[in-house]
Amino acid sequence: MTNRPKKSTNGSNVLVGNLLPILTIIAIASGVFLQTGDNYTPNVLKKLLGLAIPIFLALLFASSVIAKRKFSLTKIEFNWITAWLIYLFFRGIISPNVSQALVGEPSRNLGILTYSLFLVFFFVGRLIGLSGKSKSLLCGLVAIAFAEALVVLHQVWFSPATFMGIPKSAPKASVVGSFYSANPLSFFLGISACALFVYLINLEKGSLRILPLLVAIEIVLIYALILSNSSQGLIIWGLIVIVFSLKRFVPVLSKYFTSAQVMLYGVSLFVFFLVVLLVPISDPSKIATNPYLERLEIYKSAVKIFLAHPLLGVGIESFSSDYGKYTVTTLMQLVDNAHSIPLHFLSTQGILGFLLYGGFITWILLRRQNVSIVPNPEWGFWQSGFLAYALIGIIGIEYPAIGAIAFLIAGILSSLSRMNAGSKTLESQGNFHLKYSGFFALTLSISVLVGLLSFAITEFRVAKNISDLSERKISSNEFQMLLSQDYLKLQNAQLLLTAGQAFIAINDESGAIAIANKMLQSFPRDQRTSVLFLTIGNTWNNQEAIEKGERIRDQLFP
C-alpha cells in the first residue's frame, strides 16, 4: 500500500492538488516580500497576516475535500500538536503579559498565534505531500528564493529607490533584503541554497536539461548570501554540502543517514552550549562594539535566564523584561530574543517548551524516504532544507516566514516518509484518523486569523494616524482625538512609544503622560516604558516622570 492520492470524480483531487500549493506559495511570498508604505506600520505583523490569509482561504475551500479524503494524522503527530497547543496557551495565560504572549514582540511577532499558525502550515504540508503536488511547491519556493536574491542584488547594485516596494539599502548599511535585518535574510537564503544544492546533486539524467538554469540560480543565491554579510547561512551551507555530498557519493551511508542527521544536530547543540558556557568574555567594555562578543553575551544571559526559570521559562516573548538582570553590560540596545531558537525556547518556555520543540525536530529528522512515492532529488530538497533550518536555528533568530516554511517542509516530509526502515508505509503505522480533521485545521486557522486581525486593525490605524501627523495631513487636535479612541486597546510597546514621542513632538505633555501610563500598565517590565517616562521628564522637567523612568530602568538593569 502506498501513499498516493486516490482519484476522484468530483474534482476534489484537482482542488487539493492545485489550489492548496498555489495559495501556499502566495502565502510564503507574502510572508517574505509584503512591505508597508510608511515607517510606523508594524511590518512583521503585516507579513504575518500575509501568511495567514491565503492559508485560511486554501483550507476554507479544501476543508470539505479533506474530510471526504479521511485525512489522517499519526498518533505521534496528533499528540504532539495537541500537547504543544495546550502548553502554549497554558504558558501564555501565566506569562507576565498575556496580550504580548499572544501576538509577540512587534519586531518579530512570535507569540502563541504565530506558533499556532506554524502548526497549520504543518497540516497544509502534510496534505500537499499526500496530494502528490509537493513538486509544485518546490518550484514555487525556489522562485521566491531567487526573487529574494534579486532584491539583495538590487540593494547593492542598482539605483532605483524601490524594488517590489522594498527600499534600496543606504550606503554602507547592512543588506537586509525584504527582512528587517541581515540575520533572517541569511537564514532564509541559507535554507534555500542548501535545499537547491542537494536537489542539484541528486538530479537524474533525464532532468539534466534544466541543470544550467538551476546552477545559475544556486550561484545567485550563494552570492546574495555572501552579500548579506551574515555568516550563519553560509557556514551551514558549507556543512550541508559536505554531509549530503557524502550521502550522495558514498551510498552505504544512506542506510544510517537519518541517525547521522540527529547525531549531527545533537553534537551541534552540545558544542554550541559548551562554547557558550566555557568561552569567557574578558573585557565586557568591548561587547557593544564587537558583534561576536555581543552575540555571546546574549547567549550567556539567555542561559542565566533559563537557570533562573528552568521549568516554564520567563514567559512567552518576555525575554527583554529579564535580559537586563543577567547581562554584564547595559551598553547594548533592547534585546528581545536569545538569538538562538533552542536557547529562546529554554529561556522563555523552559525545559517543557524546549522538549516539545526539540522532540519535533528530532522526529522529523528521523523520517526515511518512501521511494515509491517521491524521487531522490525532491526528497533531498525537503530533507536538506529542514536540516538546514534546524542547524541555522541553533545560532539564528526565528522569523514568521522562515518558521512557516520549516513547518511546511516538516508536514511534507511526514507525508512522504515511512515510519521506519521496514517496508511499511506511513499509512499502515497506526494512523489516528480524525473524522473532523479538516474542521480542526480550519478552526485553528480561523482562530489565528481573527486573533491577528484583532491586534492588527488597531495597530494599523494608530500607525496611519502617526504617519498622517508627521506628514501634516491631520492637525494635532485631530491626532489627539483619533488616538484617544485606540491607545487603550493598543498592545504594541514600540508603537506606543512612537505615539508618545509624537505627543512630545507636538508639545502635548498630558497626551504623552497618558501613553506612558498605558505602557506602565501593559508593559511595566519593558525598557521602552522607561525611555518614554525619561524623555517626558527631561522635556518638561517632570520629576515624577523621571523617577518612574529611573525606577523601571533600575529594575531592568539592577
Side-chain angles (χ1 to χ4, degrees):
M1 180 179 179
T2 67
N3 217 14
R4 291 185 185 278
K6 296 179 180 180
K7 297 293 182 181
S8 173
T9 58
N10 63 4
S12 64
N13 192 55
V14 174
L15 179 64
V16 175
N18 296 319
L19 181 62
L20 202 56
I22 290 171
L23 287 173
T24 303
I25 292 168
I26 292 173
I28 296 297
S30 300
V32 172
F33 297 119
L34 197 61
Q35 298 290 308
T36 61
D38 55 61
N39 295 323
Y40 306 105
T41 305
N43 203 26
V44 180
L45 183 55
K46 179 176 270 191
K47 290 187 177 186
L48 193 52
L49 281 169
L51 287 168
I53 292 173
I55 288 298
F56 160 72
L57 293 175
L59 290 176
L60 180 66
F61 288 121
S63 57
S64 60
V65 178
I66 296 171
K68 290 178 182 178
R69 289 166 56 82
K70 294 182 179 179
F71 176 78
S72 60
L73 296 169
T74 66
K75 289 181 180 179
I76 285 180
E77 289 169 339
F78 176 76
N79 292 335
W80 165 70
I81 289 174
T82 303
W84 201 344
L85 284 173
I86 291 173
Y87 180 71
L88 282 174
F89 282 94
F90 164 74
R91 190 64 193 87
I93 290 171
I94 63 174
S95 290
N97 188 320
V98 177
S99 296
Q100 184 167 305
L102 276 172
V103 72
E105 277 281 345
S107 61
R108 297 176 305 124
N109 290 117
L110 287 168
I112 295 170
L113 292 173
T114 302
Y115 286 114
S116 299
L117 181 62
F118 289 172
L119 296 176
V120 174
F121 270 91
F122 176 84
F123 187 98
V124 170
R126 182 97 160 85
L127 187 59
I128 290 175
L130 289 173
S131 72
K133 293 291 184 178
S134 57
K135 182 68 174 292
S136 302
L137 186 62
L138 186 157
C139 296
L141 290 179
V142 170
I144 292 170
F146 182 65
E148 179 66 21
L150 293 180
V151 171
V152 173
L153 296 182
H154 154 76
Q155 291 181 332
V156 174
W157 285 356
F158 302 111
S159 58
T162 60
F163 178 68
M164 298 168 52
I166 301 165
K168 178 178 172 63
S169 288
K172 298 183 179 180
S174 297
V175 179
V176 300
S178 61
F179 296 93
Y180 71 95
S181 79
N183 289 322
L185 171 64
S186 176
F187 203 156
F188 174 72
L189 290 176
I191 292 173
S192 305
C194 289
L196 184 56
F197 172 83
V198 176
Y199 185 84
L200 280 169
I201 64 173
N202 284 284
L203 273 179
E204 300 170 352
K205 291 182 179 179
S207 303
L208 293 181
R209 63 184 181 276
I210 64 171
L211 185 62
L213 174 62
L214 295 180
V215 169
I217 294 175
E218 177 72 2
I219 291 172
V220 172
L221 291 180
I222 295 299
Y223 183 53
L225 189 54
I226 294 171
L227 291 175
S228 73
N229 201 31
S230 178
S231 58
Q232 59 187 30
L234 203 56
I235 292 171
I236 300 305
W237 179 83
L239 184 60
I240 292 292
V241 166
I242 294 171
V243 170
F244 278 85
S245 294
L246 287 173
K247 178 194 177 187
R248 171 67 177 84
F249 299 110
V250 185
V252 70
L253 297 178
S254 297
K255 183 178 179 180
Y256 309 100
F257 191 73
T258 54
S259 299
Q261 282 190 114
V262 175
M263 185 178 297
L264 177 62
Y265 181 68
V267 169
S268 299
L269 264 181
F270 177 76
V271 171
F272 169 73
F273 285 121
L274 203 62
V275 170
V276 170
L277 293 173
L278 298 183
V279 174
I281 298 178
S282 57
D283 187 358
S285 65
K286 295 181 179 180
I287 291 175
T289 57
N290 187 312
Y292 296 102
L293 290 180
E294 179 184 73
R295 185 68 71 93
L296 181 60
E297 171 55 23
I298 294 172
Y299 294 153
K300 287 180 177 293
S301 300
V303 170
K304 294 174 186 176
I305 292 174
F306 162 66
L307 293 175
H309 308 272
L311 184 61
L312 300 175
V314 71
I316 296 177
E317 290 302 271
S318 298
F319 186 89
S320 61
S321 63
D322 272 47
Y323 170 76
K325 299 175 184 177
Y326 299 96
T327 183
V328 299
T329 178
T330 60
L331 298 175
M332 289 193 293
Q333 295 179 347
L334 178 71
V335 177
D336 64 5
N337 69 94
H339 288 63
S340 163
I341 297 177
L343 259 184
H344 194 70
F345 272 101
L346 281 170
S347 58
T348 61
Q349 297 185 37
I351 193 67
L352 293 179
F354 172 75
L355 289 176
L356 285 167
Y357 171 80
F360 163 68
I361 294 290
T362 302
W363 187 78
I364 296 299
L365 291 178
L366 285 172
R367 298 305 89 221
R368 292 180 179 271
Q369 179 183 5
N370 189 334
V371 294
S372 65
I373 60 173
V374 58
N376 286 334
E378 188 177 339
W379 177 261
F381 182 92
W382 301 121
Q383 188 181 44
S384 60
F386 190 81
L387 179 59
Y389 163 79
L391 293 175
I392 298 174
I394 294 175
I395 53 174
I397 303 171
E398 185 71 279
Y399 187 83
I402 294 169
I405 292 171
F407 278 70
L408 182 70
I409 292 175
I412 291 172
L413 287 171
S414 170
S415 63
L416 299 181
S417 71
R418 48 185 181 165
M419 291 297 289
N420 53 44
S423 60
K424 293 182 178 181
T425 65
L426 184 65
E427 292 298 328
S428 62
Q429 293 294 314
N431 281 10
F432 188 87
H433 291 275
L434 295 174
K435 184 177 180 180
Y436 300 108
S437 58
F439 176 76
F440 166 75
L442 184 60
T443 301
L444 184 59
S445 68
I446 291 173
S447 301
V448 171
L449 187 57
V450 170
L452 290 173
L453 285 172
S454 67
F455 288 100
I457 290 173
T458 300
E459 292 188 18
F460 291 160
R461 187 162 54 234
V462 170
K464 183 180 184 303
N465 293 337
I466 296 173
S467 179
D468 287 345
L469 176 68
S470 68
E471 297 172 6
R472 298 186 179 182
K473 293 180 180 178
I474 58 175
S475 66
S476 299
N477 290 334
E478 289 174 319
F479 174 71
Q480 294 171 26
M481 181 183 68
L482 291 170
L483 192 61
S484 66
Q485 302 170 9
D486 287 320
Y487 84 95
L488 289 176
K489 297 181 290 183
L490 196 59
Q491 296 295 330
N492 181 324
Q494 183 59 48
L495 201 53
L496 279 167
L497 173 61
T498 305
Q501 291 169 335
F503 276 120
I504 293 172
I506 61 176
N507 199 32
D508 185 340
E509 183 178 7
S510 61
I513 290 175
I515 296 292
N517 286 330
K518 159 64 178 175
M519 291 186 71
L520 184 60
Q521 176 186 359
S522 299
F523 304 97
R525 306 194 308 170
D526 195 295
Q527 186 177 348
R528 287 162 289 207
T529 304
S530 171
V531 168
L532 184 55
F533 271 113
L534 290 174
T535 305
I536 291 170
N538 293 327
T539 301
W540 288 289
N541 196 25
N542 186 322
Q543 193 59 37
E544 182 181 359
I546 291 176
E547 291 174 357
K548 288 182 179 179
E550 289 178 344
R551 184 173 69 249
I552 298 169
R553 182 194 61 196
D554 293 342
Q555 290 172 349
L556 293 172
F557 293 93

